[in-house]
Every structure is written in structure tokens, then in C-alpha cells.
Amino acid sequence: MSQVTPAVSGASLPDRKPGSQFYEVGYRIRTGDVDQDMRVRLDAVARYLQDVANDNLEATEFSATDPFWIVRRTIIDVIEPLTWPGAVTAQRWCGALSTRWTNMRVRLTAEHETNRFNPRPRPPGLIETEAFWINVNEKGVPSRLSDEAFTMLSAMTDEHRLRWRSMNPEKAPDPAEIDFPDREHVLRITDFDPFKHLNNAAYLEAIEDELVEHPDLVDGPHRVVIEYLRPIVPGTRLILRRVREGDRLTVWLLMPGTGDELVVAATVVVGPIPE
């Protein structure tokens, strides 16, 4: 088997700047968010992150001045899982930025309840996340933040020179050199948004399918890093290529390129949270 260098996971996610502004909203944990063990799934976490981002945008003037954003990467650190029944609180703030993009931090905490289906008391849930958001114009081209947005967001952080650096290995290994055969993940039309892009949650639904075979990776605290490289549109055939090395699983989401070539649409690494 070939050796694939795992993600450069970096350090623990930085805390909020003392005294800085943040946006807070609460949601109920629903049965449609959880797996058979009552754990909130990764795709449900992605939906919470999308919801709080949309709610945050609508609560400011940025819905008019800076309405279009795309996610380049999301880091999800599951420290203590969220479970059903319960209520989740999302706090969102800017952890770093430059003139065209930001690292937006979201902290998800959950106060768990009990019922006859899940009567066991559980500790409060905690998931720390960070997403690299790019401000774009109507044509999808990276654009400068408005002066108002930059002023508001820059007050939340002292890091004003954010640069992109990939954390996951982008090049997929040769399928003949790895243990697991490629598998197709069938996409549904309901997986796509109004702009004909695959919803961020749908990527992580594919990863949840993989984790069924690797339950040890999510039994304790774990980090998920997903990087989006190419848009996936309706009708795309999606192929997953997987490598398990020690306590890490790397997944390349592949789609047809030119001819018989497969190109990488996204990469995902699941592994331990760095100390």
C-alpha cells in the first residue's frame, strides 16, 4: 500500500478575542439530525453552520453590501458530541481576515435533555468549527469586502493578513496502490442548492457513509477537515477514493474531468484533534 501524507492538521482552533462582538442563535436538535446512536451527524453540523451564517448575514447590513460568500474549507472539532434530545447554541465571530476572505469561527454547545428514547444523562456537547469564507461578486469572482464589513469584522480579531494554505493532500493516489476500491456515491437532485451547487451538507453525508466502517474515528474527540476544490453540479457522477492510515481516514471526492480522467472535487480528512 502506498503511503499518503495525512492532513497538516494545525493546532487547536483559536479562542474568541476577549471582549469582541459575536452573533448568537439557538436551534433545537431534531431526530433528522442524528444517527442511530443519537449523535448529531456531520452533515447536520454543516447545516447548522449554514443556518447560522445565513442568520448572521440577515442580522446585519451585509445582506445588501456583501451578500455572496463561498466556503473554501471547514474544520470541525467534535470535542463532546451533540446528541438528541437537546438544544444547540451557535456563537459566530471572525477569527481572522484579509480584504477578500475571512476565517469565521462557530462554537456549537448543547444542553442535553432526556426522554424515554434516550434516558441516559449526557455531558454538555461542544463542537468548535472554523470556515474559510471567500467574498465573491454576482459572477463568483473573489471581491473585496465592503468598508463597513471589513471594519466590523476586523474589530473581532487581531489577524488581518489571512492567507490560504491547504491542509489536506489534494492529489489522489493511484487506485491500484491502495487497499479500498473506489465506490460511487449517488447524488440526488435534493442535494443541490438554487445555484445548482452541491450543498455543503451533502459532501459530509458521503463521509458519514464511510464512517460506518470506521466507528473508532468518532468514538472520542475528532477533527474533520473538508476542502472544496471544484464545484459539483447536477448530473455529476461522484466517486470516492479512500485511504485509512492509523488513526486517520482520507477521502478524495472525484468527478469526471476530460476523457476518462477523474479530477478531485473535494478532500476530507478525519482524525484526532491536535493538542
Side-chain angles (χ1 to χ4, degrees), residues 25-231:
V25 66
Y27 306 107
R28 290 294 300 174
I29 297 173
R30 309 294 185 181
T31 54
D33 298 332
V34 301
D35 64 9
Q36 290 81 6
D37 295 320
M38 311 297 184
R39 173 187 65 92
V40 169
R41 303 185 311 268
L42 294 171
D43 58 293
V45 172
R47 281 190 290 272
Y48 292 154
L49 299 182
Q50 291 175 158
D51 289 347
V52 68
N54 289 331
D55 293 344
N56 191 185
L57 190 66
E58 291 296 329
T60 69
E61 298 299 322
F62 304 158
S63 58
T65 62
D66 304 77
F68 303 116
W69 296 81
I70 58 173
V71 177
R72 183 69 171 82
R73 172 175 56 226
T74 302
I75 302 171
I76 301 173
D77 284 355
V78 181
I79 299 165
E80 187 67 44
L82 315 185
T83 59
W84 176 83
V88 60
T89 298
Q91 294 182 345
R92 188 173 191 259
W93 69 92
C94 181
L97 83 164
S98 188
T99 56
R100 288 176 169 81
W101 42 70
T102 68
N103 268 347
M104 296 303 295
R105 287 274 282 107
V106 176
R107 174 173 294 146
L108 300 173
T109 56
E111 291 299 325
H112 294 133
E113 304 159 10
T114 59
N115 61 17
R116 62 177 180 170
F117 302 105
N118 197 1
R120 179 178 58 85
R122 291 100 64 207
L126 174 60
I127 297 178
E128 299 279 10
T129 77
E130 181 179 85
F132 192 101
W133 287 87
I134 302 175
N135 187 43
V136 298
N137 61 21
E138 292 89 340
K139 298 181 180 179
V141 177
S143 302
R144 292 180 64 88
L145 277 70
S146 66
D147 291 343
E148 296 80 5
F150 188 87
T151 298
M152 179 179 177
L153 295 173
S154 63
M156 302 179 188
T157 176
D158 295 325
E159 177 51 71
H160 299 166
R161 292 180 175 271
L162 177 63
R163 298 289 183 267
W164 169 260
R165 178 172 178 261
S166 180
M167 295 174 65
N168 291 354
E170 294 185 11
K171 182 177 174 56
D174 188 305
E177 299 178 352
I178 59 178
D179 292 338
F180 301 125
D182 289 351
R183 77 164 180 90
E184 182 173 2
H185 180 78
V186 178
L187 298 173
R188 304 159 298 176
I189 195 62
T190 52
D191 292 328
F192 293 88
D193 64 21
F195 305 102
K196 298 183 178 180
H197 292 160
L198 188 65
N199 188 283
N200 293 339
Y203 291 83
L204 292 174
E205 288 175 357
I207 302 307
E208 285 286 346
D209 278 348
E210 290 302 314
L211 290 174
V212 170
E213 303 298 327
H214 305 273
D216 59 301
L217 294 180
V218 295
D219 280 347
H222 54 280
R223 167 171 286 190
V224 179
V225 180
I226 178 168
E227 295 187 341
Y228 307 93
L229 305 180
R230 293 178 175 86

